[in-house]
Amino acid sequence: MGKVIAKEVSIAIAEAVAQCKVDVISAYPITPQTHIVEHLAELVNNGELDAEYIPVESEHAAMSACIGASATGVRTFTSTSSQGLLLMYENLFIASAFRLPVVMVIANRSISAPISIWNDHSDVMTMRDSGWIQTFAENGQEAVDLVYHAYRVAEKALFPVALNIDGFTLSHVIEPIELLDQELVDKYVPPLRMKYKLDPKKPISMGAIGVPEIYTEAKKAQDKALKASYRIIMNAWKEFEKLTGRRYQPIESYKMEDAEVTLIIMGSLAGTAMDAVDLLRKKGKKVGLIRIRLWRPFPLKDFLRAIGKVRAIGVVDRAVSHGSTGGPVGIEVRSALYQSNKRPKVVNFVAGLSGRDVTVEDFVELFEKTYEAISKKPRFSYEIYGVKE
Amino acid sequence: MPKDQGLVSWKELAPGMFILEPGNSVKFKTGDWRTYRPVLDKEKCIKCGMCYAICPDLCYKKDEGGYYIVNLYYCKGCGLCAKHCPKGAITMVLEED
C-alpha cells in the first residue's frame, strides 16, 4: 500500500489524476478549483506528467477541448467551480449525449449574485439533469479514491463523471491521504480503448441532427445507458475494495440500524452531522445519518434500503431551487418515497449556503425539528435554516 | 400512434447516436420542403456555370450537352442560381404550378 502523507486535498486530487495517466487537461482557473489545475500544469511543465495541458480562454472552451480530445479516444480532465461550471453549461449536455468519458472535479461554490467564493452546492445542482454521473466526496481520502473510480467508471460506462468536493472546506484543507501505488492504479485504470472515436482510418459522424423521428429514441437510449451504469459503478467500487480494503457504497449510513429519525446530506458536512448523531445517541435519541455519495444515477433501491424504518427524515439541501416545493435533494427524496410502501414524514432544510457554518449545535436543532415532524404535520415545503429574521 | 413516428428502435442506435456509416448524408433528401423550383430556359443559357458555382447545396451537375442541370432531390429552392444567372435563364416557379 501507498504511504499516508499529509497533503492539501487539491494537490492530492491532481496527483491522483496524474497517476491515471491523463492525456489532455484543459481548464480555466477559478477559485476554489485553482490549486488542482495549477498543480497539474506544474507536473506537465516539470516533465513529470506526459500530457497536453491546454490553457484556454474560458470554461466554455475548456469543456469543448475536453469533448474534442475525448472524441479522439484519449483520457481527459478538467476542473471548475461556480460561474465556471455555468459557462460550460451547454457543452455538459453534449459530453454526456456523446457518451464521452470526460472526468471533471467540481470544487463546489455558490453562484452569483450576490457574488461569493464560498461553498454550497448551487453550482452542481444546475447540472443535475445533464446526464453526467455525479458523485460527492466527504473527505480527502474519499476525494482521491473517487478520482480513480471516476476514470474506471467513465471509461467502462462511456459517460462523463463529475466528482464534487466542497470548495475550501475540502479543497483547501490538509489531510492525511494515501495515494495508491502506481502499480495498483495501472491495474484499476487500464489504458483507454474506445470502440467509437474520431479516427481518419475508420470515419464515423458525431453530432448528427436529431430529427423528430429519432430524437426521442436517442434520449431513451442515453437514459437507459445512464441507469445501466449503476452496475458498472458498483462493480468498480467492489474492485476498489479488493485492491485497497476501502469500501464505498452509493449511500453511506451512520447508526441507521435502529434509527427513528435521520438527516440526509451530501458532501463534507457529514462529519459534523455525525458528531451531532453521537451527541444525541448519548442522550438516548435514536438518530442516524444518511449521506448520498452517488447522486446520478440516483441509487433508488440503496436509498430505500438505507432509510430502514425511520419515522421522519430531514433533508439538508445546500442549494435553493427557487419557487420549488423543496431543495433539489428534498424533491428527489420525496419523489423516491412516493411510490414506496415506506412513507416517513419528510422535512426539508436549506442550510450552509455560501460557506455559512453549520455546526454540531445546528445539526442537533435540525434533528429536533425533524423529530417534531413525527407528531405534527410539517408546516413548510422547505425552510431556509439559520436566517437572521 | 406516436411510436410509429420513430425511424429506428432506440436499441439499434450506436452509443452517442454516432453514425457509423461514413458519407451517408448523400441519402438525405433536402429537397422536400422547397417552395419554388428553378426552371432553366436553354434558349437563353450560355453554359457559363454560374449556377453551378453559386449553389450552396452543390445541386447542379453538367450534362452531356454542357448544360448545368439542377438535382431536385437536394435543391431547397433558395433561388440564388436564378438571382445570379447573367442571362436570366433561370426562373423560380411555384411548386404547385
Side-chain angles (χ1 to χ4, degrees):
Chain A
M1 296 302 281
K3 237 167 115 181
V4 179
I5 298 172
K7 265 186 204 298
E8 184 188 315
V9 173
S10 286
I11 304 299
I13 285 173
E15 286 177 2
V17 170
Q19 280 190 306
C20 292
K21 296 181 178 161
V22 62
D23 298 295
V24 173
I25 302 147
S26 183
Y28 189 86
I30 182 168
T31 301
Q33 147 269 31
T34 319
H35 290 184
I36 300 171
V37 291
E38 221 170 52
H39 190 60
L40 279 165
E42 207 174 338
L43 292 174
V44 173
N45 191 43
N46 293 349
E48 291 167 63
L49 173 62
D50 182 20
E52 196 71 41
Y53 189 100
I54 311 175
V56 280
E57 76 280 13
S58 74
E59 286 85 355
H60 189 278
M63 184 46 64
S64 300
C66 282
I67 288 170
S70 183
T72 69
V74 300
R75 194 166 281 161
T76 55
F77 179 78
T78 190
S79 182
T80 193
S81 300
S82 184
Q83 310 304 118
L85 185 69
L86 301 196
L87 194 47
M88 286 181 177
Y89 198 60
E90 61 168 334
N91 292 325
L92 297 174
F93 291 72
I94 293 170
S96 56
F98 278 12
R99 309 285 306 276
L100 297 174
V102 177
V103 170
M104 168 162 67
V105 171
I106 308 172
N108 300 122
R109 160 184 158 182
S110 314
I111 293 174
S112 282
I115 191 163
S116 153
I117 58 166
W118 296 278
N119 164 242
D120 64 33
H121 293 166
S122 55
D123 54 4
V124 62
M125 284 305 157
T126 65
M127 69 177 285
R128 184 189 63 177
D129 303 336
S130 63
W132 283 55
I133 292 170
Q134 297 165 45
T135 55
F136 283 76
E138 184 199 336
N139 56 48
Q141 187 63 60
E142 184 179 340
V144 163
D145 290 349
L146 288 183
V147 167
Y148 307 125
H149 181 258
Y151 279 107
R152 170 102 177 178
V153 165
E155 293 170 9
K156 280 192 185 289
L158 291 181
F159 272 111
V161 177
L163 159 56
N164 292 276
I165 59 161
D166 284 324
F168 293 118
T169 49
L170 192 50
S171 65
H172 283 54
V173 295
I174 294 173
E175 290 188 12
I177 292 170
E178 183 214 330
L179 289 167
L180 295 189
D181 286 335
Q182 188 59 48
E183 206 180 309
L184 276 189
V185 179
D186 292 344
K187 205 173 153 193
Y188 191 64
V189 186
L192 173 60
R193 305 245 181 277
M194 266 160 70
K195 191 176 173 193
Y196 302 119
K197 58 183 176 180
L198 294 179
D199 178 0
K201 286 184 209 131
K202 213 179 153 194
I204 61 167
S205 294
M206 295 184 178
I209 190 164
V211 290
E213 292 83 0
I214 199 92
Y215 190 93
T216 308
E217 282 71 20
K219 283 296 136 184
K220 165 105 179 178
Q222 185 188 338
D223 195 52
K224 277 278 187 185
L226 183 63
K227 288 194 175 108
S229 74
Y230 172 83
R231 191 176 288 274
I232 294 166
I233 293 164
M234 293 299 286
N235 286 342
W237 272 328
K238 275 179 199 150
E239 189 64 25
F240 192 83
E241 188 184 357
K242 271 187 222 157
L243 292 175
T244 67
R246 288 196 287 276
R247 183 162 187 232
Y248 291 106
Q249 300 171 90
I251 303 283
E252 202 66 49
S253 300
Y254 185 66
K255 303 199 173 168
M256 284 299 294
E257 295 76 22
D258 59 343
E260 53 185 14
V261 165
T262 182
L263 292 182
I264 297 181
I265 201 158
M266 301 206 291
S268 65
L269 270 183
T272 317
M274 283 191 277
D275 283 349
V277 170
D278 292 346
L279 199 76
L280 288 167
R281 283 267 169 187
K282 271 184 204 153
K283 292 178 182 166
K285 298 270 191 187
K286 288 181 178 172
V287 295
L289 184 74
I290 285 174
R291 176 163 69 88
I292 301 172
R293 176 178 285 120
L294 177 64
W295 171 233
R296 285 292 182 273
F298 188 75
L300 182 64
K301 280 181 188 161
D302 298 80
F303 170 75
L304 292 175
R305 208 180 306 126
I307 60 166
K309 293 195 170 97
V310 290
R311 297 171 69 196
I313 294 174
V315 183
V316 185
D317 260 289
R318 307 284 317 279
V320 184
S321 174
H322 292 288
S324 185
T325 53
V329 186
I331 294 169
E332 191 80 24
V333 164
R334 284 201 184 103
S335 171
L337 292 170
Y338 195 81
Q339 298 289 2
S340 163
N341 294 329
K342 298 176 180 180
R343 293 291 284 276
K345 296 280 184 60
V346 178
V347 285
N348 193 184
F349 310 102
V350 174
L353 294 181
S354 178
R356 173 83 57 101
D357 273 347
V358 187
T359 63
V360 175
E361 293 70 33
D362 290 321
F363 277 113
V364 167
E365 196 180 329
L366 293 178
F367 271 117
E368 281 165 1
K369 280 170 179 278
T370 308
Y371 258 107
E372 282 171 20
I374 296 177
S375 50
K376 53 182 178 182
K377 203 169 178 242
R379 290 180 284 117
F380 44 80
S381 53
Y382 61 98
E383 176 189 347
I384 298 184
Y385 173 79
V387 179
K388 184 167 178 152
E389 295 292 347
Chain B
M1 290 289 284
K3 68 179 173 189
D4 293 333
Q5 293 175 19
L7 205 62
V8 60
S9 162
W10 64 270
K11 294 168 198 164
E12 288 162 27
L13 292 174
M17 211 188 90
F18 298 158
I19 294 170
L20 309 180
E21 175 198 353
N24 74 352
S25 60
V26 290
K27 291 182 192 167
F28 189 51
K29 190 173 186 178
T30 53
D32 60 353
W33 40 275
R34 189 174 52 237
T35 310
Y36 291 93
R37 72 175 184 276
V39 175
L40 175 67
D41 180 353
K42 288 188 177 175
E43 296 288 312
K44 292 182 187 169
C45 176
I46 56 167
K47 305 174 183 176
C48 69
M50 180 61 91
C51 52
Y52 168 83
I54 210 85
C55 175
D57 269 301
L58 311 175
C59 295
Y60 279 92
K61 209 174 168 184
K62 206 178 193 173
D63 73 359
E64 286 162 358
Y67 292 104
Y68 291 89
I69 307 298
V70 70
N71 185 342
L72 292 174
Y73 189 83
Y74 301 119
C75 171
K76 294 169 181 164
C78 73
L80 276 172
C81 52
K83 171 95 177 164
H84 289 275
C85 176
K87 292 294 172 188
I90 301 170
T91 339
M92 298 305 288
V93 178
L94 197 63
E95 274 295 352
E96 290 165 10
D97 295 352

